[in-house]
Coordinates of all heavy atoms in Angstrom, one line a residue:
M256 N -30.9 -5.6 -5.9 CA -29.6 -5.0 -5.8 C -28.8 -5.8 -4.8 O -29.3 -6.1 -3.7 CB -29.8 -3.5 -5.3 CG -28.5 -2.8 -5.1 SD -28.8 -1.1 -4.7 CE -27.5 -0.4 -5.6
N257 N -27.6 -6.1 -5.2 CA -26.7 -6.8 -4.3 C -26.1 -5.9 -3.3 O -25.8 -4.8 -3.5 CB -25.5 -7.4 -5.1 CG -26.0 -8.5 -6.1 OD1 -27.1 -9.1 -5.8 ND2 -25.3 -8.8 -7.1
S258 N -25.9 -6.4 -2.1 CA -25.2 -5.6 -1.1 C -23.7 -6.0 -1.1 O -23.3 -7.1 -1.4 CB -25.8 -5.9 0.3 OG -25.6 -7.2 0.7
I259 N -22.9 -5.1 -0.7 CA -21.5 -5.3 -0.6 C -21.1 -5.5 0.8 O -21.5 -4.7 1.7 CB -20.7 -4.1 -1.2 CG1 -21.0 -4.0 -2.7 CG2 -19.2 -4.3 -1.0 CD1 -20.4 -2.8 -3.3
N260 N -20.3 -6.6 1.1 CA -19.9 -6.8 2.5 C -18.8 -5.8 2.8 O -17.7 -5.8 2.2 CB -19.3 -8.2 2.6 CG -18.8 -8.6 3.9 OD1 -18.8 -7.7 4.8 ND2 -18.5 -9.8 4.1
S261 N -19.0 -4.9 3.8 CA -18.1 -3.9 4.1 C -16.9 -4.4 5.0 O -16.0 -3.7 5.1 CB -18.8 -2.7 4.8 OG -19.4 -3.1 6.0
K262 N -17.0 -5.6 5.5 CA -16.0 -6.1 6.3 C -15.3 -7.2 5.5 O -15.8 -8.3 5.3 CB -16.5 -6.7 7.6 CG -15.4 -7.2 8.5 CD -15.9 -7.4 9.9 CE -14.9 -8.0 10.8 NZ -14.3 -7.0 11.6
I263 N -14.1 -6.8 5.0 CA -13.3 -7.7 4.2 C -12.1 -8.2 4.9 O -11.4 -7.4 5.5 CB -12.9 -7.0 2.8 CG1 -14.1 -6.6 2.1 CG2 -12.0 -7.9 2.0 CD1 -13.9 -5.7 0.9
D264 N -11.9 -9.5 4.9 CA -10.7 -10.1 5.6 C -9.5 -10.1 4.7 O -9.3 -11.0 3.9 CB -11.1 -11.5 6.0 CG -10.0 -12.2 6.9 OD1 -8.8 -11.6 6.9 OD2 -10.2 -13.2 7.4
L265 N -8.7 -9.0 4.8 CA -7.5 -8.9 4.0 C -6.5 -10.0 4.2 O -5.9 -10.4 3.2 CB -6.8 -7.5 4.3 CG -7.6 -6.2 3.9 CD1 -6.8 -5.0 4.3 CD2 -7.9 -6.2 2.5
T266 N -6.4 -10.5 5.4 CA -5.4 -11.5 5.6 C -5.8 -12.8 4.8 O -5.0 -13.5 4.2 CB -5.4 -11.9 7.1 OG1 -4.9 -10.7 7.8 CG2 -4.4 -13.0 7.4
K267 N -7.1 -13.1 4.9 CA -7.6 -14.3 4.1 C -7.4 -14.2 2.7 O -7.0 -15.1 2.0 CB -9.1 -14.5 4.5 CG -9.7 -15.7 3.8 CD -11.1 -15.9 4.2 CE -11.7 -17.1 3.4 NZ -13.2 -17.2 3.7
L268 N -7.7 -13.0 2.1 CA -7.7 -12.8 0.7 C -6.3 -12.4 0.1 O -6.0 -12.8 -1.0 CB -8.7 -11.8 0.2 CG -10.1 -12.1 0.4 CD1 -11.1 -10.9 0.1 CD2 -10.5 -13.3 -0.5
L269 N -5.5 -11.7 0.9 CA -4.2 -11.3 0.4 C -3.0 -12.0 1.0 O -1.9 -11.9 0.5 CB -4.1 -9.8 0.6 CG -5.1 -8.9 -0.1 CD1 -4.9 -7.5 0.3 CD2 -5.1 -9.1 -1.6
G270 N -3.3 -12.7 2.1 CA -2.2 -13.3 2.8 C -1.7 -12.5 4.0 O -1.8 -11.3 4.0
E271 N -1.1 -13.2 5.0 CA -0.7 -12.5 6.2 C 0.4 -11.4 5.9 O 0.3 -10.3 6.4 CB -0.2 -13.5 7.2 CG 0.1 -12.9 8.5 CD 0.5 -13.9 9.6 OE1 0.2 -15.1 9.4 OE2 1.1 -13.5 10.6
S272 N 1.4 -11.7 5.1 CA 2.5 -10.7 4.9 C 2.0 -9.5 4.1 O 2.4 -8.4 4.4 CB 3.6 -11.4 4.2 OG 3.2 -11.8 2.9
T273 N 1.1 -9.7 3.2 CA 0.5 -8.5 2.4 C -0.4 -7.7 3.4 O -0.3 -6.5 3.3 CB -0.2 -9.0 1.2 OG1 0.7 -9.7 0.3 CG2 -0.8 -7.8 0.4
A274 N -1.2 -8.3 4.1 CA -2.1 -7.6 5.1 C -1.2 -6.8 6.1 O -1.5 -5.7 6.4 CB -3.0 -8.5 5.8
L275 N -0.1 -7.4 6.6 CA 0.8 -6.8 7.5 C 1.4 -5.5 6.7 O 1.6 -4.5 7.3 CB 1.8 -7.7 8.0 CG 2.9 -7.1 8.9 CD1 2.3 -6.5 10.2 CD2 3.9 -8.2 9.3
L276 N 1.9 -5.8 5.5 CA 2.5 -4.7 4.8 C 1.5 -3.5 4.6 O 1.9 -2.3 4.8 CB 2.9 -5.2 3.4 CG 3.4 -4.1 2.4 CD1 4.6 -3.4 2.9 CD2 3.6 -4.8 1.1
L277 N 0.3 -3.8 4.3 CA -0.7 -2.7 4.2 C -1.0 -2.0 5.5 O -1.1 -0.8 5.5 CB -2.0 -3.3 3.6 CG -1.9 -3.8 2.1 CD1 -3.3 -4.5 1.7 CD2 -1.6 -2.6 1.2
A278 N -1.0 -2.7 6.6 CA -1.1 -2.1 7.9 C 0.0 -1.2 8.2 O -0.1 -0.1 8.7 CB -1.3 -3.1 8.9
K279 N 1.2 -1.6 7.8 CA 2.4 -0.8 8.1 C 2.5 0.4 7.2 O 2.8 1.5 7.6 CB 3.7 -1.6 7.9 CG 3.8 -2.8 8.9 CD 3.8 -2.3 10.3 CE 4.0 -3.4 11.3 NZ 3.8 -3.0 12.7
I280 N 2.0 0.2 5.9 CA 1.9 1.4 5.0 C 1.0 2.5 5.6 O 1.2 3.6 5.6 CB 1.5 0.9 3.6 CG1 2.6 0.2 2.9 CG2 1.0 2.2 2.8 CD1 2.2 -0.4 1.6
G281 N -0.2 2.0 6.1 CA -1.1 2.8 6.8 C -0.6 3.5 8.0 O -0.8 4.7 8.2
A282 N 0.2 2.8 8.8 CA 0.8 3.4 9.9 C 1.8 4.5 9.6 O 1.8 5.6 10.2 CB 1.5 2.3 10.8
V283 N 2.6 4.3 8.6 CA 3.6 5.3 8.2 C 2.8 6.5 7.6 O 3.2 7.6 7.9 CB 4.6 4.7 7.1 CG1 5.4 5.8 6.5 CG2 5.5 3.6 7.7
A284 N 1.8 6.2 6.8 CA 1.0 7.4 6.3 C 0.5 8.2 7.4 O 0.5 9.4 7.4 CB -0.1 6.9 5.4
A285 N -0.1 7.5 8.4 CA -0.7 8.2 9.6 C 0.4 9.1 10.3 O 0.1 10.2 10.7 CB -1.4 7.2 10.5
D286 N 1.5 8.5 10.5 CA 2.6 9.1 11.2 C 3.1 10.4 10.5 O 3.5 11.4 11.1 CB 3.8 8.2 11.4 CG 3.6 7.1 12.4 OD1 2.6 7.2 13.2 OD2 4.4 6.2 12.5
E287 N 3.0 10.3 9.1 CA 3.4 11.5 8.3 C 2.2 12.5 8.0 O 2.4 13.4 7.3 CB 3.9 10.9 7.0 CG 5.2 10.1 7.1 CD 6.3 10.9 7.6 OE1 6.6 12.1 7.2 OE2 7.1 10.4 8.5
G288 N 1.1 12.2 8.7 CA -0.1 13.1 8.4 C -0.7 12.9 7.0 O -1.3 13.8 6.5
M289 N -0.5 11.8 6.5 CA -1.0 11.5 5.1 C -2.1 10.4 5.2 O -2.2 9.7 6.2 CB 0.1 11.0 4.2 CG 1.2 11.9 4.0 SD 2.5 11.2 2.9 CE 3.4 12.6 2.5
R290 N -2.8 10.2 4.1 CA -3.7 9.1 4.0 C -3.3 8.3 2.8 O -2.8 8.7 1.8 CB -5.1 9.7 3.7 CG -5.7 10.4 4.8 CD -7.1 10.9 4.5 NE -7.7 11.5 5.6 CZ -8.8 12.2 5.5 NH1 -9.5 12.3 4.4 NH2 -9.3 12.8 6.6
A291 N -3.4 6.9 3.0 CA -3.0 5.9 2.0 C -4.2 5.2 1.6 O -5.0 4.8 2.5 CB -1.9 5.1 2.5
Y292 N -4.4 4.9 0.4 CA -5.6 4.1 -0.1 C -5.2 3.0 -1.0 O -4.2 3.2 -1.8 CB -6.5 5.1 -0.9 CG -7.0 6.3 -0.2 CD1 -6.3 7.4 -0.2 CD2 -8.1 6.2 0.6 CE1 -6.7 8.6 0.4 CE2 -8.6 7.3 1.3 CZ -7.9 8.5 1.2 OH -8.3 9.6 1.9
L293 N -5.9 1.9 -0.9 CA -5.7 0.8 -1.9 C -6.5 1.3 -3.1 O -7.6 1.8 -3.0 CB -6.4 -0.5 -1.4 CG -5.5 -1.4 -0.6 CD1 -6.4 -2.6 -0.2 CD2 -4.3 -1.9 -1.4
V294 N -5.9 1.1 -4.3 CA -6.6 1.5 -5.5 C -6.4 0.5 -6.6 O -5.6 -0.4 -6.5 CB -6.0 2.9 -6.1 CG1 -6.3 4.1 -5.1 CG2 -4.5 2.8 -6.3
G295 N -7.1 0.6 -7.7 CA -7.0 -0.2 -8.8 C -7.7 -1.6 -8.7 O -8.6 -1.7 -7.9
G296 N -7.2 -2.6 -9.4 CA -7.8 -3.8 -9.5 C -7.9 -4.6 -8.2 O -8.9 -5.4 -8.1
V297 N -7.1 -4.4 -7.3 CA -7.1 -5.0 -6.0 C -8.4 -4.7 -5.3 O -9.1 -5.6 -4.6 CB -5.9 -4.7 -5.1 CG1 -5.9 -3.3 -4.6 CG2 -5.9 -5.7 -3.9
V298 N -8.9 -3.5 -5.4 CA -10.1 -3.1 -4.8 C -11.3 -3.8 -5.4 O -12.2 -4.4 -4.7 CB -10.4 -1.5 -4.9 CG1 -11.8 -1.1 -4.4 CG2 -9.3 -0.8 -4.3
R299 N -11.3 -3.9 -6.7 CA -12.4 -4.7 -7.4 C -12.4 -6.2 -6.9 O -13.4 -6.7 -6.6 CB -12.2 -4.7 -8.9 CG -13.1 -5.6 -9.7 CD -12.6 -5.9 -11.1 NE -11.3 -6.6 -11.0 CZ -10.2 -6.2 -11.6 NH1 -10.2 -5.2 -12.5 NH2 -9.1 -6.9 -11.5
D300 N -11.2 -6.7 -6.9 CA -11.0 -8.1 -6.5 C -11.4 -8.4 -5.1 O -12.1 -9.4 -4.8 CB -9.6 -8.6 -6.8 CG -9.2 -8.6 -8.2 OD1 -10.1 -8.6 -9.1 OD2 -8.0 -8.7 -8.5
L301 N -11.1 -7.5 -4.2 CA -11.5 -7.6 -2.8 C -13.0 -7.5 -2.7 O -13.6 -8.3 -1.9 CB -10.9 -6.5 -1.9 CG -9.4 -6.7 -1.7 CD1 -8.8 -5.5 -1.0 CD2 -9.1 -8.0 -0.9
L302 N -13.6 -6.6 -3.4 CA -15.1 -6.6 -3.4 C -15.8 -7.8 -3.9 O -16.9 -8.2 -3.5 CB -15.6 -5.3 -4.1 CG -15.2 -4.0 -3.5 CD1 -15.6 -2.8 -4.4 CD2 -16.0 -3.8 -2.1
L303 N -15.1 -8.4 -4.9 CA -15.6 -9.7 -5.4 C -15.2 -10.9 -4.5 O -15.7 -12.0 -4.8 CB -15.1 -9.9 -6.8 CG -15.6 -8.9 -7.9 CD1 -14.8 -9.1 -9.2 CD2 -17.1 -9.0 -8.0
G304 N -14.4 -10.7 -3.5 CA -14.0 -11.7 -2.6 C -12.9 -12.7 -3.2 O -12.8 -13.8 -2.8
T305 N -12.1 -12.1 -4.1 CA -11.1 -13.0 -4.7 C -9.7 -12.3 -4.3 O -9.6 -11.1 -4.1 CB -11.2 -13.0 -6.2 OG1 -11.1 -11.7 -6.8 CG2 -12.5 -13.7 -6.6
A306 N -8.7 -13.1 -4.4 CA -7.3 -12.7 -4.2 C -6.9 -11.8 -5.4 O -7.3 -12.0 -6.5 CB -6.4 -13.8 -4.0
S307 N -5.9 -11.0 -5.1 CA -5.3 -10.2 -6.2 C -3.8 -10.2 -6.1 O -3.3 -10.1 -5.1 CB -5.8 -8.7 -6.1 OG -5.3 -7.9 -7.1
P308 N -3.2 -10.5 -7.3 CA -1.7 -10.6 -7.2 C -1.0 -9.2 -7.3 O 0.2 -9.1 -7.1 CB -1.4 -11.4 -8.5 CG -2.5 -11.0 -9.4 CD -3.7 -10.8 -8.6
D309 N -1.8 -8.1 -7.5 CA -1.3 -6.8 -7.7 C -1.8 -5.8 -6.7 O -3.0 -5.7 -6.5 CB -1.6 -6.3 -9.2 CG -1.0 -5.0 -9.5 OD1 0.1 -4.8 -9.1 OD2 -1.7 -4.2 -10.1
I310 N -0.9 -5.2 -6.0 CA -1.4 -4.2 -5.0 C -0.9 -2.8 -5.4 O 0.3 -2.6 -5.6 CB -0.7 -4.6 -3.6 CG1 -1.1 -6.0 -3.2 CG2 -1.2 -3.6 -2.6 CD1 -2.5 -6.3 -3.0
D311 N -1.8 -1.9 -5.5 CA -1.5 -0.5 -5.8 C -2.0 0.4 -4.6 O -3.1 0.2 -4.1 CB -2.2 0.0 -7.1 CG -1.7 -0.8 -8.3 OD1 -0.5 -0.9 -8.5 OD2 -2.6 -1.4 -9.0
V312 N -1.1 1.3 -4.2 CA -1.4 2.2 -3.1 C -1.2 3.6 -3.6 O -0.3 3.9 -4.3 CB -0.5 1.9 -1.9 CG1 -0.8 2.9 -0.8 CG2 -0.7 0.5 -1.4
M313 N -2.2 4.5 -3.2 CA -2.1 5.9 -3.5 C -2.0 6.6 -2.2 O -2.7 6.3 -1.3 CB -3.3 6.4 -4.3 CG -3.2 7.8 -4.8 SD -4.7 8.8 -4.7 CE -5.4 8.7 -3.1
V314 N -1.2 7.7 -2.2 CA -1.2 8.5 -1.0 C -1.6 10.0 -1.3 O -1.3 10.4 -2.4 CB 0.2 8.5 -0.3 CG1 0.6 7.1 0.3 CG2 1.3 9.0 -1.2
E315 N -2.2 10.6 -0.4 CA -2.5 12.0 -0.5 C -1.3 12.8 0.0 O -0.8 12.5 1.2 CB -3.7 12.5 0.4 CG -5.0 12.0 -0.2 CD -6.2 12.4 0.7 OE1 -5.9 13.1 1.7 OE2 -7.3 12.1 0.3
G316 N -0.7 13.6 -0.7 CA 0.5 14.4 -0.3 C 1.7 14.0 -1.2 O 1.5 13.5 -2.3
D317 N 2.9 14.2 -0.7 CA 4.1 14.0 -1.4 C 4.5 12.5 -1.4 O 5.0 12.0 -0.4 CB 5.2 14.9 -0.8 CG 6.5 14.8 -1.6 OD1 6.7 13.9 -2.4 OD2 7.4 15.7 -1.4
A318 N 4.2 11.8 -2.5 CA 4.4 10.4 -2.6 C 5.9 10.1 -2.4 O 6.3 9.1 -1.8 CB 3.9 9.8 -3.9
L319 N 6.8 10.9 -2.9 CA 8.3 10.6 -2.8 C 8.7 10.7 -1.4 O 9.5 9.9 -0.9 CB 9.1 11.5 -3.7 CG 8.8 11.2 -5.2 CD1 9.6 12.2 -6.1 CD2 9.2 9.8 -5.6
T320 N 8.2 11.7 -0.6 CA 8.5 11.8 0.8 C 8.0 10.6 1.5 O 8.7 10.0 2.4 CB 7.9 13.1 1.4 OG1 8.5 14.2 0.7 CG2 8.1 13.1 2.9
F321 N 6.7 10.1 1.2 CA 6.2 9.0 1.8 C 7.0 7.7 1.6 O 7.3 7.0 2.5 CB 4.8 8.8 1.3 CG 4.1 7.5 1.8 CD1 3.6 7.4 3.1 CD2 4.1 6.4 0.9 CE1 3.1 6.2 3.5 CE2 3.5 5.2 1.4 CZ 3.0 5.1 2.7
V322 N 7.4 7.5 0.3 CA 8.2 6.3 0.1 C 9.6 6.4 0.8 O 10.1 5.4 1.3 CB 8.5 6.2 -1.5 CG1 9.5 5.1 -1.8 CG2 7.2 5.9 -2.2
A323 N 10.2 7.6 0.9 CA 11.4 7.7 1.6 C 11.2 7.4 3.1 O 12.0 6.6 3.7 CB 12.0 9.2 1.5
R324 N 10.1 7.8 3.7 CA 9.8 7.4 5.1 C 9.6 5.9 5.2 O 10.1 5.3 6.2 CB 8.6 8.2 5.6 CG 8.8 9.6 5.7 CD 9.9 10.1 6.6 NE 10.1 11.5 6.6 CZ 10.9 12.1 5.7 NH1 11.6 11.4 4.8 NH2 11.0 13.4 5.7
L325 N 8.8 5.3 4.3 CA 8.6 3.9 4.3 C 9.9 3.2 4.2 O 10.2 2.2 4.9 CB 7.6 3.6 3.1 CG 7.1 2.1 3.1 CD1 6.3 1.8 4.4 CD2 6.3 1.9 1.9
H326 N 10.8 3.6 3.3 CA 12.1 3.0 3.1 C 12.9 3.1 4.4 O 13.5 2.1 4.8 CB 12.8 3.7 2.0 CG 14.1 3.1 1.5 ND1 15.3 3.2 2.2 CD2 14.3 2.2 0.5 CE1 16.2 2.5 1.6 NE2 15.6 1.9 0.6
E327 N 12.9 4.2 5.1 CA 13.6 4.3 6.3 C 13.2 3.3 7.4 O 14.0 2.8 8.2 CB 13.4 5.8 6.9 CG 14.2 6.8 6.1 CD 13.8 8.2 6.6 OE1 13.0 8.4 7.5 OE2 14.2 9.2 5.9
R328 N 11.9 3.1 7.4 CA 11.3 2.2 8.4 C 11.1 0.8 8.0 O 10.7 -0.1 8.8 CB 10.0 2.8 8.9 CG 10.2 4.1 9.6 CD 8.9 4.8 9.9 NE 8.0 4.0 10.7 CZ 6.8 4.4 11.0 NH1 6.4 5.7 10.7 NH2 6.0 3.7 11.8
W329 N 11.4 0.5 6.7 CA 11.1 -0.8 6.1 C 11.8 -2.0 6.9 O 11.1 -3.0 7.2 CB 11.5 -0.8 4.7 CG 11.2 -2.1 3.9 CD1 11.9 -3.3 3.8 CD2 9.9 -2.3 3.2 NE1 11.2 -4.1 3.0 CE2 10.0 -3.6 2.7 CE3 8.8 -1.5 3.0 CZ2 9.0 -4.1 1.9 CZ3 7.8 -2.0 2.2 CH2 7.9 -3.3 1.7
S330 N 13.1 -1.8 7.2 CA 13.8 -3.0 7.8 C 13.3 -3.3 9.2 O 13.3 -4.5 9.6 CB 15.3 -2.6 7.8 OG 15.6 -1.5 8.6
S331 N 12.7 -2.3 9.9 CA 12.2 -2.7 11.2 C 10.9 -3.4 11.1 O 10.5 -4.1 12.0 CB 12.0 -1.4 12.0 OG 11.0 -0.5 11.5
F332 N 10.1 -3.2 10.0 CA 8.8 -3.9 9.8 C 9.1 -5.4 9.3 O 8.4 -6.3 9.7 CB 8.0 -3.2 8.7 CG 7.6 -1.8 9.1 CD1 7.3 -0.9 8.1 CD2 7.3 -1.5 10.4 CE1 6.9 0.3 8.5 CE2 6.8 -0.3 10.7 CZ 6.6 0.7 9.8
F333 N 10.1 -5.5 8.4 CA 10.3 -6.8 7.7 C 11.8 -7.0 7.8 O 12.5 -6.8 6.7 CB 9.8 -6.8 6.3 CG 8.3 -6.5 6.2 CD1 7.9 -5.2 5.9 CD2 7.4 -7.5 6.4 CE1 6.5 -4.9 5.9 CE2 6.1 -7.2 6.4 CZ 5.6 -6.0 6.1
P334 N 12.4 -7.4 8.9 CA 13.9 -7.6 9.0 C 14.5 -8.5 8.0 O 15.7 -8.4 7.7 CB 14.1 -8.0 10.4 CG 12.8 -8.5 10.9 CD 11.7 -7.8 10.1
N335 N 13.7 -9.5 7.5 CA 14.3 -10.5 6.6 C 14.0 -10.2 5.1 O 14.3 -11.0 4.3 CB 13.8 -11.9 7.0 CG 14.2 -12.3 8.4 OD1 15.3 -12.0 8.8 ND2 13.3 -12.9 9.1
S336 N 13.5 -9.0 4.8 CA 13.1 -8.7 3.5 C 14.1 -7.7 2.9 O 14.6 -6.8 3.7 CB 11.7 -8.1 3.4 OG 10.8 -9.1 3.8
P337 N 14.3 -7.7 1.6 CA 15.2 -6.6 1.1 C 14.5 -5.3 1.1 O 13.2 -5.2 1.1 CB 15.4 -7.1 -0.4 CG 14.2 -8.0 -0.7 CD 13.8 -8.6 0.7
L338 N 15.2 -4.2 1.1 CA 14.6 -2.9 1.1 C 14.0 -2.6 -0.3 O 14.4 -3.2 -1.3 CB 15.7 -1.8 1.3 CG 16.3 -1.8 2.7 CD1 17.5 -0.8 2.7 CD2 15.3 -1.4 3.7
P339 N 12.9 -1.8 -0.3 CA 12.3 -1.5 -1.6 C 13.3 -0.8 -2.5 O 14.2 -0.1 -2.0 CB 11.1 -0.7 -1.2 CG 11.3 -0.2 0.1 CD 12.3 -1.2 0.8
R340 N 13.1 -0.9 -3.8 CA 13.9 -0.1 -4.7 C 13.8 1.4 -4.5 O 12.8 1.9 -4.0 CB 13.6 -0.5 -6.2 CG 13.8 -1.9 -6.5 CD 13.4 -2.1 -8.0 NE 12.0 -1.6 -8.1 CZ 11.3 -1.9 -9.2 NH1 11.8 -2.6 -10.2 NH2 10.1 -1.4 -9.3
K341 N 14.8 2.1 -4.9 CA 14.7 3.6 -4.9 C 13.5 4.1 -5.7 O 13.3 3.6 -6.8 CB 16.0 4.2 -5.4 CG 16.0 5.7 -5.4 CD 17.4 6.2 -5.9 CE 17.3 7.7 -6.0 NZ 18.5 8.2 -6.7
P342 N 12.7 5.0 -5.2 CA 11.5 5.5 -5.9 C 11.9 6.2 -7.2 O 13.0 6.7 -7.3 CB 10.9 6.4 -5.0 CG 11.9 6.8 -3.9 CD 12.8 5.6 -3.9
V343 N 11.1 6.0 -8.2 CA 11.3 6.7 -9.5 C 10.3 7.7 -9.7 O 9.1 7.5 -9.5 CB 11.2 5.6 -10.6 CG1 11.4 6.3 -12.0 CG2 12.2 4.5 -10.4
S344 N 10.7 8.9 -10.1 CA 9.8 10.0 -10.4 C 9.6 10.2 -11.9 O 10.5 9.9 -12.7 CB 10.4 11.3 -9.8 OG 9.6 12.4 -10.1
F345 N 8.4 10.5 -12.2 CA 8.0 10.8 -13.6 C 7.5 12.2 -13.7 O 6.3 12.4 -13.6 CB 6.9 9.7 -14.1 CG 7.4 8.3 -14.0 CD1 7.2 7.5 -13.0 CD2 8.1 7.8 -15.1 CE1 7.6 6.2 -12.9 CE2 8.5 6.5 -15.1 CZ 8.3 5.7 -14.0
P346 N 8.4 13.2 -13.9 CA 8.0 14.6 -13.9 C 6.8 14.9 -14.9 O 6.0 15.7 -14.6 CB 9.2 15.3 -14.3 CG 10.3 14.4 -13.9 CD 9.8 13.0 -14.2
K347 N 6.8 14.2 -16.0 CA 5.7 14.5 -17.0 C 4.3 14.3 -16.4 O 3.4 15.0 -16.7 CB 5.9 13.5 -18.2 CG 4.9 13.7 -19.3 CD 5.1 12.7 -20.4 CE 4.0 12.7 -21.5 NZ 4.3 11.8 -22.6
Y348 N 4.3 13.3 -15.5 CA 3.0 12.9 -14.9 C 2.8 13.5 -13.5 O 1.9 13.2 -12.8 CB 2.8 11.4 -14.8 CG 2.8 10.8 -16.2 CD1 3.9 10.1 -16.6 CD2 1.8 11.0 -17.1 CE1 4.0 9.6 -17.9 CE2 1.8 10.5 -18.4 CZ 2.9 9.8 -18.8 OH 3.0 9.2 -20.0
K349 N 3.9 14.3 -13.1 CA 3.9 14.9 -11.7 C 3.8 13.8 -10.6 O 3.1 13.9 -9.6 CB 2.9 15.9 -11.5 CG 3.1 17.1 -12.5 CD 2.0 18.1 -12.3 CE 2.3 19.3 -13.3 NZ 1.3 20.3 -13.3
T350 N 4.5 12.7 -10.9 CA 4.5 11.6 -9.9 C 5.9 11.2 -9.5 O 6.9 11.6 -10.2 CB 3.8 10.3 -10.5 OG1 4.6 9.9 -11.6 CG2 2.4 10.5 -10.9

């Protein structure tokens, strides 16, 4: 049976800006009393030790509130980056 390395260097595999973004997403989630998780193909790719061009994050709680808080604080995290687009809700999927 293969063992999985539980210590993954996100900066090495995803790049410094993406690793910083994920840390800031985690900080906003913590400040809001929420939990944020990496999900999808990026998790598989990280376990395999490869880079992933696609990052998906899931939060426990009200995702639209979370995105609004992230949007409010975005410019202080990345002053030279454009703000994220306005979140889109899909009522059929309760997202």
